[in-house]
Amino acid sequence: MRCGPSVTPKDIDLQALRDKYAQERDKRLRKDGTAQYIHTGGGEDPDFWENDPHMPPVVRDPIVDDVEVVVIGGGFAGLLAGAHLKKAGVDDVRIIEMGGDFGGVWYWNRYPGIQCDNESYCYIPLLEELNYMPSKRFPDGVEIYQHCRNIGTHFGLYEGALFGTMIRAIRWNEATQRWTITTNHDDELRARYVVMATGPWSKPKLPGIAGLHSFKGHAFHSARWDYDYTGGNTTDTTLDKLADKRVAVIGTGATAIQIVPYLGRYARHLTVFQRTPSAVDARRNPPTDPEWAASLKPGWQKERQANFHAFASDPFPSIPATEDISCDFFTEVGRNVSARINGHANLSTDDLAAIREEEDYGVMERIRRRVDDIVEDPATAEALKPYYRYMCKRPCSSNDYLETFNRSNVTLVDVSGSKGVERVTEKGLIANDQEHEVDCIIFASGFEISAQDQKVASGIEAIDGRDGLSLYDHWRDGFRTLHGMTSHGFPGMFFTGYTQGGGNASVTANYVQQGEHIAYIIAEARVRGATTVEPTVEAQDDWVRTVHELAPPNTFLEQCTPGYYNNEGGGNGGIRAAIGERYAAGFYAFDKLLDDWRNEGQMVGMRLIK
Ligand code: NDP
């Protein structure tokens, strides 16, 4: 299918909408920003993080061992680092994972209705290498979880993996030139290299509502779904035990959009507490066409990711709109912008920005009018309309979410004033001066994605490099890395994620890129007889300067409604982009930079310690 620009309303008053967006943002801004949340783990609310509803606790003796590479985290980031290490001939790899198996977010998040949100042909990594084709465009979570396990099997990563194991501390030992890693099982692993692959979505957070612990009913976080309580299981979404239960959901982000239709169908009553509505489009989720799959040529997945990235992430895609392969809500604004600008070579920066803004407002207006078409009660419909710019929050799609609010057993409670839900009581929640009695509260309140404090985000008590330098202190005033992957004072330690690297619209493409680069460095260091490697302080500082010099102003994020994309509107910490800083030249420029760096062969900026 060739995909052209979408049809969006043209009868909109831009200035009136700009004012409305600003008003809606201001009413949600809070001084406490990210500090509003209640943390889980580290002695605070361990049930919401550390307890595993999917597997019994692991009981085993402590392990004391030397190992070449320890990878912390067995989600996609860790699996892809492990896979590339194995491919590079580094065999002695131990993945340590707190869950009972590989999978990361796909291990933990097993709530009813969980599916991939980014099209799977881009998102699910190593499809060609594992000769696997997803069953549909947005497959169910169990399928992706299985793919994670298949990666583990394919690359021999189960060997040596430690599941049900939480890291306590990681400390550099100058005498042995190794890292000592301690865990909740009293293990002591001495690793030459450590790859941090804990992922930004791994640690649930709870809403900062007074009295949260006074509730006497049942409560759990969406990432720790309690099927014993709700009925059903990961493959059967019949939540029959909720038939006599009044259920509250806090949060209306990407997770809630997937959960709410099931709760609406099965609970005696469902009350959804909404602070900010998501933008929800229709979901086109056809099964994979076998003929299309058979027609694909080697290298197709990388090409598709590049195409998706161009429309989903580039503000002004330089390819014709009709080439948008995924043709999705994620790519709609980019596609419409591309249709306007292609063939017009001399547009000024202001012209481009104006076109982008118009297309953005048009798409969001289409989404708001869609709410009116679906939701019967006008007041509920109005509350469900998102008044902010596209990509201030994650775009969502569902064919059942908005429809759920037409059910007689479902109530939407708008808590959009900055105080949100006012209080949790023994019996339920108080909002807008009214108590809502419920039997169960489900927190779809997200993850510590933009926590200011790295220790909170990682949940690891200490990461101490040379001379006892704490990584948390080292990065307190800003990340300091070479290429986002290494840091001076932390020899042989590697980082993955969005920090000071490229940033692809398919997060797993970042992990592939980083896995490949990290594996190259470790394999090369071994070939060259090094004990470990470390970036020089000059190379690190140069890279930080480059990232900062290229960084665009935060104007867009400043104008956004609060959320994790703009660290909750800033609060006292000021606005910064979610999940660290990006190398603003873009993912593919960064990819080339890394490729050139490796081809040059000198490991420029990296000290090999012998
Ligand atoms: P989010 O952080 O996106 O949403 C948290 C929700 O909780 C928001 O609606 C937030 O409101 C609300 N909230 C927080 N505190 C309060 C409060 N005190 N009172 C009322 N409401 C409150 O978390 P999600 O788990 O939904 O999604 C996180 C990310 O995980 C997604 O953006 C996506 O990247 C990923 N994800 C991917 C999926 C996939 O691909 N299948 C599916 C689900 C998630 P407010 O907006 O006002 O802050």
Side-chain angles (χ1 to χ4, degrees):
M1 182 181 68
R2 305 273 289 177
C3 177
S6 65
V7 178
T8 58
K10 301 296 172 226
D11 55 332
I12 53 179
D13 179 343
L14 266 185
Q15 191 50 51
L17 275 176
R18 282 191 200 109
D19 295 344
K20 170 82 173 158
Y21 284 16
Q23 239 175 45
E24 292 288 327
R25 179 205 56 212
D26 290 350
K27 103 177 167 195
R28 291 176 175 85
L29 276 177
R30 298 167 54 130
K31 280 206 183 81
D32 49 1
T34 51
Q36 69 182 277
Y37 289 100
I38 295 175
H39 306 309
T40 56
E44 300 171 69
D45 283 309
D47 284 358
F48 288 96
W49 186 44
E50 292 168 28
N51 289 348
D52 185 346
H54 310 307
M55 301 261 180
V58 170
V59 179
R60 62 167 173 79
D61 290 332
I63 297 172
V64 177
D65 198 7
D66 283 348
V67 56
E68 190 72 0
V69 188
V70 162
V71 178
I72 314 278
F76 273 135
L79 284 165
L80 290 165
H84 282 95
L85 283 161
K86 293 275 179 164
K87 288 207 281 184
V90 182
D91 276 327
D92 186 10
V93 177
R94 238 191 221 285
I95 297 188
I96 304 185
E97 164 57 49
M98 69 180 281
D101 204 332
F102 291 132
V105 293
W106 300 104
Y107 174 87
W108 292 107
N109 288 271
R110 302 201 200 179
Y111 55 75
I114 184 166
Q115 288 187 336
C116 189
D117 252 1
N118 277 19
E119 71 147 42
S120 58
Y121 313 122
C122 292
Y123 172 76
I124 301 183
L126 305 183
L127 289 179
E128 293 185 67
E129 204 153 342
L130 267 69
N131 194 22
Y132 182 69
M133 185 50 73
S135 64
K136 50 190 171 186
R137 191 157 177 250
F138 302 120
D140 299 347
V142 282
E143 186 174 335
I144 308 172
Y145 171 44
Q146 185 54 45
H147 186 75
C148 293
R149 301 168 77 198
N150 293 348
I151 294 175
T153 305
H154 186 88
F155 291 99
L157 296 169
Y158 277 97
E159 226 172 282
L162 296 178
F163 295 112
T165 302
M166 293 187 69
I167 305 297
R168 291 284 179 244
I170 309 173
R171 292 196 168 90
W172 175 250
N173 183 327
E174 192 65 29
T176 58
Q177 295 281 292
R178 282 175 178 258
W179 292 94
T180 305
I181 297 145
T182 50
T183 75
N184 61 337
H185 290 282
D186 294 328
D187 304 315
E188 190 181 310
L189 300 161
R190 296 172 298 249
R192 198 181 292 284
Y193 299 103
V194 174
V195 181
M196 301 297 296
T198 48
W201 290 269
S202 57
K203 197 145 171 273
K205 62 180 162 53
L206 297 171
I209 305 173
L212 194 89
H213 298 101
S214 54
F215 183 56
K216 294 264 194 280
H218 195 65
F220 56 90
H221 190 277
S222 55
R224 300 291 182 273
W225 195 269
D226 187 351
Y227 281 106
D228 285 344
Y229 182 84
T230 63
N233 58 52
T234 53
T235 51
D236 175 3
T237 50
T238 313
L239 309 180
D240 51 357
K241 291 189 183 171
L242 295 182
D244 59 351
K245 301 284 189 299
R246 297 158 303 172
V247 178
V249 170
I250 305 224
T252 46
T255 297
I257 302 307
Q258 297 187 330
I259 290 171
V260 159
Y262 292 89
L263 294 173
R265 206 169 297 155
Y266 292 105
R268 180 177 131 209
H269 195 91
L270 171 67
T271 311
V272 179
F273 292 87
Q274 172 189 271
R275 202 163 61 174
T276 315
S278 280
V280 186
D281 198 5
R283 192 164 178 87
R284 190 170 56 82
N285 193 11
T288 300
D289 173 0
E291 263 179 56
W292 165 78
S295 73
L296 295 167
K297 303 275 178 298
W300 70 267
Q301 190 178 28
K302 274 200 163 182
E303 275 174 34
R304 195 169 178 110
Q305 283 170 340
N307 181 279
F308 178 70
H309 182 76
F311 288 100
S313 269
D314 288 352
F316 310 110
S318 56
I319 14 182
T322 48
E323 303 298 321
D324 175 9
I325 303 177
S326 75
C327 192
D328 188 45
F329 185 27
F330 263 92
T331 56
E332 184 178 354
V333 172
R335 185 182 344 126
N336 292 359
V337 169
S338 138
R340 295 263 306 267
I341 66 175
N342 255 275
H344 299 275
N346 296 323
L347 293 167
S348 68
T349 315
D350 286 349
D351 291 339
L352 286 168
I355 289 171
R356 174 94 202 173
E357 191 192 30
E358 277 168 28
E359 294 306 325
D360 175 328
Y361 277 70
V363 167
M364 290 303 279
E365 185 63 22
R366 179 181 73 70
I367 291 296
R368 287 190 287 271
R369 294 188 191 182
R370 184 173 179 272
V371 179
D372 280 329
D373 290 343
I374 294 172
V375 179
E376 288 154 12
D377 174 56
T380 307
E382 193 50 37
L384 284 164
K385 291 179 188 168
Y387 285 99
Y388 46 81
R389 283 191 68 169
Y390 173 83
M391 278 295 174
C392 279
K393 284 186 182 282
R394 187 184 169 92
C396 299
S397 60
S398 167
N399 298 330
D400 309 307
Y401 177 74
L402 294 170
E403 290 76 355
T404 300
F405 294 95
N406 291 333
R407 298 181 67 101
S408 57
N409 66 326
V410 177
T411 311
L412 180 75
V413 177
D414 178 358
V415 292
S416 54
S418 62
K419 63 184 175 172
V421 176
E422 282 146 53
R423 166 164 290 280
V424 179
T425 65
E426 284 188 10
K427 293 183 185 162
L429 299 129
I430 297 180
N432 308 328
D433 300 324
Q434 193 195 329
E435 183 164 20
H436 299 261
E437 287 191 12
V438 294
D439 301 298
C440 174
I441 305 177
I442 299 173
F443 298 109
S445 47
F447 303 87
E448 300 280 8
I449 300 170
S450 56
Q452 306 273 11
D453 186 337
Q454 295 294 313
K455 188 171 171 179
V456 165
S458 76
I460 298 172
E461 279 163 29
I463 305 176
D464 293 344
R466 194 181 292 111
D467 301 325
L469 174 65
S470 160
L471 183 71
Y472 305 134
D473 291 337
H474 188 50
W475 283 1
R476 199 166 300 281
D477 297 325
F479 298 104
R480 293 186 196 182
T481 73
L482 173 60
H483 301 153
M485 285 179 259
T486 54
S487 194
H488 184 74
F490 297 82
M493 179 172 274
F494 295 88
F495 307 98
T496 60
Y498 275 127
T499 303
Q500 296 184 343
N504 194 288
S506 278
V507 66
T508 52
N510 293 281
Y511 299 147
V512 167
Q513 182 185 63
Q514 290 161 344
E516 201 177 348
H517 194 68
I518 291 166
Y520 167 85
I521 294 175
I522 293 177
E524 271 306 297
R526 282 155 50 100
V527 167
R528 296 178 196 201
T531 315
T532 188
V533 292
E534 183 184 4
T536 64
V537 75
E538 294 78 18
Q540 168 195 277
D541 291 352
D542 275 356
W543 182 248
V544 174
R545 206 171 305 117
T546 303
V547 168
H548 289 175
E549 278 169 9
L550 288 177
N554 275 328
T555 326
F556 179 85
L557 288 174
E558 276 162 12
Q559 290 169 358
C560 277
T561 192
Y564 78 81
Y565 280 16
N566 65 354
N567 66 307
E568 308 298 337
N572 290 328
I575 294 272
R576 61 179 167 75
I579 329 175
E581 305 154 331
R582 307 268 177 97
Y583 171 63
F587 180 82
Y588 291 97
F590 185 60
D591 206 44
K592 180 168 183 323
L593 184 146
L594 294 182
D595 213 32
D596 291 349
W597 187 91
R598 291 192 296 265
N599 288 336
E600 205 258 346
Q602 298 300 311
M603 299 181 88
V604 175
M606 198 59 91
R607 195 164 68 96
L608 274 68
I609 301 166
K610 297 196 174 172

